[in-house]
């Protein structure tokens, strides 16, 4: 109990950076598993293990803050989170990690826009420059998915693999876009929730809802949920590590969000892209890595402008 209370005295940016490191490492391991497993199999197995891990938070739950209104908000956030997780996993399975990871920063634009409209967060001119830098870099990375490029990313005008392959790439890029939008809306709801309850209570409940949502999705698409334990066993101990990183990232992000404006927390958390892009790109021997790393670094400059 004392250890949990001690952690609440850390500055918000420490939690945001912890979340960023955990997410960056998780994405690389996730890509490795998705090369071997179907996205829905992976998602339902990971959410099951993450829920089991979150059950150990039971002693620190503040039950007095739990109301039906709070449960409604958390379930709404979990539905959006489930959509984001599933679509994001499908995109990551079929696209390069060094493309997917940096494009996640584009979610900052949606989140900040919604935060300004709904929560009243205001951006300075310098922060708007940061937004422009990140959006421009993200568009460059999207272009790199659609066309063959020279080493520094300039289009050669030849679609990767022809028309059919280009259409496939666009399909998964759209999935990634919908995943980012869903997560951005969920982030706004998360901020509202954390004004009502504490991060530990939130993560405990939302982890249960996420598993229930993925279980329903698996039943609707696959039919036989009895095969889920086999999916977890096939993934092995690596799924436990990914679930631990996921839970750590969720807790750290939620704690940071409870201490600072969403317009500060979300961009700093997105610094995870540098870990995912460089490490993941090298591990999976992805093409045009120099260009993608440069775009990721440019995006981090945008993040730096945003947190000023």
């Amino acid at each position: 109990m004392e250890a949990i209370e001690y952690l609440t005295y850390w500055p918000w940016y420490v939690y945001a950076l912890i979340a960023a490191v955990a997410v960056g490492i998780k994405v690389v391991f996730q890509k490795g598993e998705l090369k071997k497993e179907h996205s829905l199999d992976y998602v339902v197995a990971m959410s099951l293990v993450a829920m089991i891990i979150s059950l150990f938070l039971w002693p620190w739950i503040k039950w007095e803050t739990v109301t039906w209104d709070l449960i409604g908000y958390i379930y709404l956030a979990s539905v959006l989170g489930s959509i984001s997780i599933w679509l994001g996993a499908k995109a990551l399975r079929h696209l390069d990690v060094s493309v997917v990871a940096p494009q996640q920063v584009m979610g900052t634009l949606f989140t900040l826009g919604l935060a300004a409209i709904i929560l009243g967060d205001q951006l300075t001119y310098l922060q708007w420059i940061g937004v422009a830098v990140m959006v421009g870099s993200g568009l460059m990375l999207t272009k790199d998915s659609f066309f063959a490029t020279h080493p520094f990313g300039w289009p050669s005008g030849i679609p990767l693999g022809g028309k059919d392959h280009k259409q496939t790439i666009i399909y998964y890029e759209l999935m990634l876009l919908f995943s980012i939008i869903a997560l951005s809306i969920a982030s706004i709801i998360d901020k509202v929730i954390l004004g009502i309850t504490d991060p530990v209570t939130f993560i405990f409940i939302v982890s249960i809802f996420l598993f229930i949502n993925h279980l329903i999705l698996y039943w609707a698409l696959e039919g036989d949920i009895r095969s889920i334990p086999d999916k977890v066993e096939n993934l092995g101990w690596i799924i436990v590590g990914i679930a631990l990183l996921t839970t750590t990232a969720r807790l750290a992000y939620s704690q940071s969000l409870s201490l600072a404006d969403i317009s500060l927390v979300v961009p700093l958390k997105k610094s995870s892209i540098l870990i995912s892009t460089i490490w993941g790109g090298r591990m999976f021997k992805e093409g045009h890595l120099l260009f993608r790393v440069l775009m990721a670094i440019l995006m981090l400059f945008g993040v730096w402008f945003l947190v000023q």
Side-chain angles (χ1 to χ4, degrees):
M1 182 73 72
E2 292 181 358
I4 294 290
E5 292 177 353
Y6 174 75
L7 292 178
T8 61
Y9 292 102
W10 290 1
W12 69 270
Y13 53 82
V14 173
Y15 295 104
L17 289 172
I18 290 173
V21 172
V23 169
I25 297 171
K26 181 203 75 170
V27 168
V28 177
F29 285 126
Q30 186 176 344
K31 175 65 175 179
E33 293 307 298
L34 287 169
K35 290 172 73 72
K36 301 179 291 184
E37 299 289 338
H38 290 294
S39 55
L40 188 56
D41 292 341
Y42 163 82
V43 164
V44 73
M46 194 278 292
S47 62
L48 171 60
V49 179
M51 182 191 69
I52 293 171
I53 291 171
S54 71
L55 294 179
F56 289 95
L57 298 173
W58 179 278
W60 297 281
I61 304 303
K62 294 184 179 179
W63 293 107
E64 66 275 12
T65 65
V66 179
T67 64
W68 286 113
D69 287 343
L70 177 66
I71 291 175
Y73 280 125
I74 294 178
Y75 187 69
L76 178 59
S78 76
V79 170
L80 291 166
S82 296
I83 294 171
S84 177
I85 291 169
W86 179 46
L87 295 180
K90 288 180 73 67
L92 184 59
R93 186 172 190 264
H94 294 276
L95 301 174
D96 286 352
V97 66
S98 58
V99 169
V100 172
Q103 285 186 61
Q104 294 287 346
V105 177
M106 295 292 287
T108 304
L109 176 64
F110 298 109
T111 302
L112 295 181
L114 290 170
I117 296 170
I118 299 174
L119 302 178
D121 289 0
Q122 298 297 321
L123 298 182
T124 65
Y125 288 113
L126 195 62
Q127 288 173 320
W128 279 115
I129 291 174
V131 170
V133 169
M134 288 191 296
V135 171
S137 304
L139 290 174
M140 289 292 288
L141 280 165
T142 303
K143 174 272 301 176
D144 191 37
S145 295
F146 297 156
F147 296 93
T149 59
H150 295 298
F152 291 98
W154 305 110
S156 65
I158 304 173
L160 288 172
K163 181 179 178 181
D164 290 342
H165 182 73
K166 182 180 177 182
Q167 290 176 342
T168 300
I169 292 296
I170 293 174
Y171 173 72
Y172 289 110
E173 284 280 2
L174 287 174
M175 280 195 168
L176 179 60
L177 176 62
F178 291 136
S179 170
I180 291 170
I181 292 173
L183 186 61
S184 300
I185 299 172
S187 295
I188 301 298
I189 301 173
D190 291 348
K191 181 64 176 178
V192 173
I193 291 168
L194 291 167
I196 303 173
T197 191
D198 66 296
V200 173
T201 304
F202 170 48
I203 297 305
F204 176 83
I205 298 174
V206 80
S207 296
I208 297 172
F209 282 157
L210 285 171
F211 172 65
I212 292 173
N213 294 340
H214 292 142
L215 191 64
I216 294 171
L217 183 63
Y218 191 91
W219 174 78
L221 297 179
E222 301 293 334
D224 189 4
I225 62 174
R226 293 174 297 179
S227 63
I228 291 175
D230 292 334
K231 305 297 183 184
V232 177
E233 186 177 354
N234 290 339
L235 287 166
W237 284 102
I238 190 67
I239 196 67
V240 177
I242 294 173
L244 279 169
L245 287 167
T246 300
T247 304
T248 299
R250 288 173 180 170
L251 281 168
Y253 168 71
S254 297
Q255 182 63 25
S256 182
L257 202 58
S258 70
L259 298 172
D261 288 344
I262 194 171
S263 57
L264 297 176
V265 176
V266 171
L268 192 55
K269 180 195 171 190
K270 296 300 183 181
S271 60
S272 63
I273 66 173
L274 203 54
I275 297 174
S276 303
T277 303
I278 296 176
W279 184 26
R282 290 178 63 87
M283 177 178 290
F284 300 114
K285 297 179 173 59
E286 296 173 354
H288 312 302
L289 186 57
L290 175 59
F291 167 71
R292 295 170 183 178
V293 171
L294 289 175
M295 290 300 101
I297 292 173
L298 191 58
M299 284 179 161
L300 290 183
F301 275 110
V303 169
W304 183 80
F305 281 119
L306 274 170
V307 298
Q308 296 305 302

